[in-house]
Structure formats: structure tokens, C-alpha cells
Amino acid sequence: MLLEADTLVYDNDKNTVTAVGGVRIDYGGNRLVANRVVYDRKTGRVVASGNVQIIDSSGTKIYSEEIDITDDFSDGFANALRVETTDKTYFAAESAERKGANLTTFNNGVYTACAPCEKKPDRAPIWRVKAQKIIWDGKAKTVRFESSRFELFGLPIAYFPAWEVPDPTVKRKSGFLLPGIAFKSDLGVGVSIPYYFALSPTYDLTVTGRYYSKQGFLGQAEWRQRFNNGFYSLKTAGIYQQDPEAFDVNTIDSGRPGDPNHLRGMVGSKGLFNINPRWTFGWDVLAQSDKDFSNMYQIGGYEQAVHQSEVFLTGLNDRNYFDLRAMHFDVQEIYFNDNPLARQEKQPWVLPTFDYAYTPDEPIAGGELNVNVNARQLNRNEQDLICAEPVDLSVIACPNVATNIAGVRGIKGSNGRVTAEAEWKKSIVAPGGMVITPLLALRSDASYSDVSDQSLAAIQDDATTLGVGADVRSEFYRYMATAGLEWRWPVLFSSVNSTHVIEPMAQVFARPNEQDVSELGIPNEDAQSFVFDASSLFDRDKFSGYDRIEGGTRVNVGVRYSGAYSNGVTTNAIFGQSYQVAGENSFAAPDLVNAGAFSGLQTPTSDYVGLVGFATPFGLSSSVSARFNEQNFDVERTELKAGLVHLPVALTAKYAFIAAQPLYGFPQDRHEATLAGSLRFLQNWRVFASGTYDLVEHVVTSDSAGFAYDDECFSYSMTYSQTRDRITQESTTSVGFNVSFRTIGDFGTSSNTFAAQ
């Protein structure tokens, strides 16, 4: 023990040492500071008085006017004390007693995780717990409150005879978690109570019981386990619905008329393991009784509208990449499988998909070589048709099949493809700063299809309606060779306050025609989503996937610009056009989804595409991209984005217009604007709102508003949102709230949803 003081008085008769003035005692990692300390050497007790402060070996601070404690700081008694832990939690009490260095009992105590207000330290914190007795067990790592009440902003809101929470230093401990609440018109009011089992440092279990006033008891359990190189989880949930008729008739949730859907459930698992620094193995799979269970009952981690179940193996080393995975898309929807809008049975099993990319570290013939391999295998149970106009839900196929099919997204049966591609290119800087890049590429594809005669006949009928061929072959092989040349001439202009780079650019790619595209030698499964804009202007192959390949000789021409100013503002722009100068235009050759139709590339001279953007150092940024008709300069597609993030304000605005693409499944213009913003005020408060307006149907498709408060110990949020059907304008309203108390837990829901009448 080291004792320091202005004055030391030794009383040999009483065997005491009295220290007065600036007393400081250090012992075993503990420190005591006081105005006066009396140390009884016979009993080993220390009585400190006058602005007493103790900092124990864990860093916990204790303040009092008088403390009676043993010399090893393990046992003691104090009046009118305050305690501040290293986790910024606070205790105060009229008196307290400590025993065995672990157990501290506070009489008429107060507990909070909110720091005292510096300007008004006597003001009540945002929340606190007042209890007749607070027992802090440092060994069991628990804090128990007896005869307690919970106060919010100084007002009592709840009374508890006894309850217990984990010690603030504990991250995992068995016990009840805070309950949650939810509401839906077809489920009723739902109250959930979770219980957490901390079974070991590496695995745990959470069991949740949720009762809905209309549908009954929903049970959930989730097992989690972590290893040195990864983790996995297993979740299960189930319910026996009391009132399936509360759902809309003829939906999955209700069941068939006369055969209501009572027993429903799911099993899901996720995992991720690092085999070594280069290889990763994982999965995310979902199996459920019907396709809308997890979405309807909002099962955490599996409630997405489209859940991608997959098992994968990934390798990454420098510039080399390997990815092998099996996938299935679970479309969680309310429709039965024979409803024309139902999509689940039309989703293929991807067994498997494979990607490999290899780039040698050393140059090849002075240039860069890239090798890519892609393979896929699909199995689909139902043919996936695109209806060209809204359908009547009472029928089980596209109405007016002879004229109403806009495309075939996928064929029934099995089909697979293997693609290998090698590309070599070398950049040469010529005199004057011009950059010339020759390019050579060679690609080959092999595919096969296993389609029943019945499915083949159906495909032929659909293809006839669309005016295309449909020779789905059991085996098919094709190749594509490309010779290309790119020319760029970046020119730098600079002044005292800015620098600008203008870069005219041209490309030419010579290649044979795409083979047998109109005969559907390879079904188009992965090259359907196609957008021609400024970002894809200079792509060698502008299709989005491997099933289609660009053929013929094409020239891409444009100019790029970038600027930087001394005040931190940056600008950028690009503008150009593409030309099919020889051979067959792949974007004009139809397939079963008409991927190139209305793309802007289907004519020998493409539409114009451009993009302009800027960004500022004070958070304002904006960009606009557009595609203009090459004959009359009409706008065919445009997107505008703007944002401002400059505290306390944050604003974002988006505007999009896409002209009608009837042969691509969109018979009407798509035209909408979105605005969102938030404002922070009074340091901890913020309000936020957003809305999306359909300028074609003249309806606000979605809007939301809310407010929130958050600080270091407490947060609260309240949201209100509405969504509306673009055609019927029927609306669904959602109200959500969440309250979080640091060290205590969260309460509330983000999915308070009910149907508006």
C-alpha cells in the first residue's frame, strides 16, 4: 500500500494512522482519494471522508462523502454515493454495501445509462430505474432491481416488483429479452416474447413466442454457432392459423376455398466459412410450407420479397477469381401457382452456375491477357410468359394468347451452356498523347437443351405469335472472334483555378454475325435485362449476359470530359453514338424476349446517349443521363439524380422516364419522381419524409414521414408510410415505432401494417 497525504498522524495506542489533506492511497490497482482517511491497522478497515473518490482495478469510479471499506477494497459501506462504470452506466443510492469484492447492494438506488447533463447535473436523465434495492453481482454479471419503477423524462411509466438484466459489461447472458409488438389487419395484434440461451461462448439459442389475436401462436427458434473460421445459423418457425379466412380468398395465405391453410412453417439456414485466406464456402437456404409464409409473418432474415437460396464456393487470389454456386429464387407472393401473375413455379433451379477469371501477372506479347469461363445449368418446371397487358386474375393464362404474349422469359425443361473467352489488349501511347489500344478476342459456346415434345410445341406456338423462330436444339455450338481498335486522345487544359481533360474517343470492333439468334439455338436466360446508356457506350459487348453475343462490325464514337476546380468542385460528362457498319445487327434480331427491341441500338445508327454530373465539397451532387432518338432527338430514356448532404439537412431527388417498349413487355411509358429528405435539429432530433409520384397514372405510389430522437443512451423513432396500387389506387398503410434503451434493450416494431379502408 502506498499512502500519501499532507499530514500523517500515528496513534500507537489505538493502532491507527490518520491521513489529512490531499490523501491518496494506491493498493492492488485500486486508488482512493479523500480529504481525510483513518486506517485501523488492527481491523484492516479504512474510513474515508470528504470528497471521497475510489477507482477500483476495473476502472469503476465511486463517489461519496464517507466510505467505510476494507484495506483490500473488497468489502465496505457508504452513504450517499454515486458509481460510474467503464461502460458509462451510473448508479446512485442513499447507501450501499459491498461484500466479497463482487456483490454490491444499493439501498433506495437509481440506475441509468445516460450521462448527467453538464449544464444541469441535477436534472433527471432521459430514462432511469428507481428501486428500493439494486443488487449488482459482479460474479454472476447481473443487476437485479427489487420494488422498482421505470421513469422516462422524470415520469414513472412502469412498475416491476422484481426484474433482472445482465451486467453492463456482459455481451451475452441467458434471460428474457424485451417484448415486441406488431399489427396487421389479417393477423391481428401480435405480441412476442423472446428468451435467449447463452449456452456457451461459441453457440446460443433464441426462442420466441409470438401470439396474434386473429391467427394464434407463432413459435420461432434460432440456433447460432461461431467457429474460428466462420459461423452458421439455423432458424425454424411455425403456426397453426386459427382464422385463414381472414386473408383474401384465393390466396396462398388463405388456402383454396374449402381447404383453408392452417398449418404453415419454414426452416432456413445461413453459413459462411473461410477455408483459408483464398477460399470461402457458404450457404443461405430457405424451405417453407408455402411461398408466402416468411414474408407474411416477417421471419427475420427470410422476409424479402425475393429470397435467393444458394450454396457457394468462392476463391480470390490477386487478379484471379473462382465462383461456383447453386441457386434458387424464392418469390414470396400471395398468388397460387396457376394464377397468371404467380412467378414462383416459373423460377428455375440453377444447378449450378460457374465463373472463373484469370489474368496472368506477366504481360503476354506486351499486352494484358484476360481469360473468362462461364457455365450454367437451368431446370424450370413451368414456361415463363410475359403478358403484354394487365391480366384478369380470374383466368390462368395470358388473355388473347394469340396476340397478347410479349415474350417468353424462360422455357420449360433443362438447358445448359459453357462459355470460354480470351481477350488480349495493349495500350500504346503515340506522339502527341494519343492512346491506341488494339484488341483481339475469341469466344466459344457449347449448349444443350432437354425439352419435352409438349413444351417444344408450346414454345413453337409462342414463337409463331411473336414472329420469331424457335429451333431449340439438343446440342448447339457457336463461336465469336473479334478484332478491335480503340483510339483516345486526352487533352489537358489548365488555368490558375481549374484543370480540364477533354478526351475524344472512337472504337471499331470487327466480327462475324451472331449465329442463329433468331432460331433460338441457345435460350436467352441471362441477357434479358438490357439498357443502352452512356455507361455502356464503349463496351465491346453490350448485352448483359452470356446467352446473347453482339455480332457484326460496330463503331462507337464519343467524347469524355472531366474537370476539377480549386474550390473542390468536380465535373464530368460523356456523349456519343454507336453505328452498325457491317453485318447483321444483333440488337435488331428478335429472340423470345426481344432483348434488343427499343434499346436504341436496333437501328444501324443508334440513339444518342449522354451523361453530365458534378459534385461539390459541401455535399451537393447531381447527375443526369439520357438517351435521345437519333432521328428527331426525342427523349427515349432519362434519369436525374440530385443530392445534398450538408448537416443538418440531407436531400435526395430522383426522376426517371422510360418510353414505352411494347415488344419488351412494357406497353406504357414509365414516368416517376422521388423526393426524400431529413432535417436534424436540437442536436438529437430529426424528421424525415419521402414520396414517389407516378406521372403517368397521376398517383403517389408511396409516401412516408417520421421523426426520431437518438443520443448515447436512448433512441426513439416513429414512421408512417403508405403504398398505392398504380392502377386501382388501393392503399396500404404502415405505422412503425422503435424504442431503444442502452443496456436494457429494444422495444417496438418496424412493420405495423394494416390495410386502409
Side-chain angles (χ1 to χ4, degrees), residues 208-227:
T208 303
R210 181 186 301 171
Y211 183 81
Y212 287 101
S213 58
K214 285 189 176 181
Q215 301 301 343
F217 179 79
L218 172 72
Q220 295 186 61
E222 183 175 16
W223 171 275
R224 294 172 294 266
Q225 186 166 7
R226 182 171 292 277
F227 302 86

Side-chain angles (χ1 to χ4, degrees), residues 63 84 87 128 164 470 513 521 556 586 655 730:
Y63 304 90
E84 177 183 332
D87 295 291
R128 63 186 176 186
E164 190 174 272
N513 294 333
N556 304 314
S586 294
Y655 167 81
E730 293 182 357

Side-chain angles (χ1 to χ4, degrees), residues 430-447:
M434 290 186 294
V435 181
I436 300 174
T437 304
L439 176 147
L440 296 173
L442 180 63
R443 166 177 163 170
S444 62
D445 299 273
S447 74

Side-chain angles (χ1 to χ4, degrees), residues 278-279 313-325 352-361 369-376 417-423 546:
R278 298 179 180 178
W279 291 93
L313 174 66
T314 300
L316 182 63
N317 180 32
D318 295 330
R319 303 174 67 185
N320 306 320
Y321 177 71
F322 174 99
D323 185 87
L324 177 67
R325 64 184 63 214
T353 178
F354 171 71
D355 284 284
Y356 178 72
Y358 171 69
T359 300
D361 295 331
L369 178 67
N370 296 286
V371 178
N372 291 279
V373 178
N374 174 268
R376 64 157 177 81
R417 174 191 42 76
V418 177
T419 298
E421 182 178 41
E423 179 190 74
Y546 290 94

Side-chain angles (χ1 to χ4, degrees), residues 287-309:
Q288 51 187 354
S289 58
D290 56 80
K291 58 186 176 180
D292 193 44
F293 172 75
S294 296
N295 177 267
M296 171 57 65
Y297 285 96
Q298 292 293 288
I299 307 301
Y302 300 91
E303 72 276 22
Q304 308 96 324
V306 179
H307 178 270
Q308 181 175 321
S309 293

Side-chain angles (χ1 to χ4, degrees), residues 397-466:
C398 294
N400 303 319
V401 173
T403 60
N404 193 242
I405 296 177
V408 181
R409 278 187 293 244
I411 63 175
K412 181 179 179 180
S414 301
N415 67 85
R417 174 191 42 76
V418 177
T419 298
E421 182 178 41
E423 179 190 74
W424 176 90
K425 59 184 177 180
K426 178 182 180 179
S427 295
I428 303 171
V429 180
M434 290 186 294
V435 181
I436 300 174
T437 304
L439 176 147
L440 296 173
L442 180 63
R443 166 177 163 170
S444 62
D445 299 273
S447 74
Y448 77 93
S449 298
D450 183 8
V451 181
S452 67
D453 293 340
Q454 181 180 4
S455 298
L456 215 62
I459 296 170
Q460 292 285 359
D461 291 342
D462 297 334
T464 301
T465 301
L466 294 170

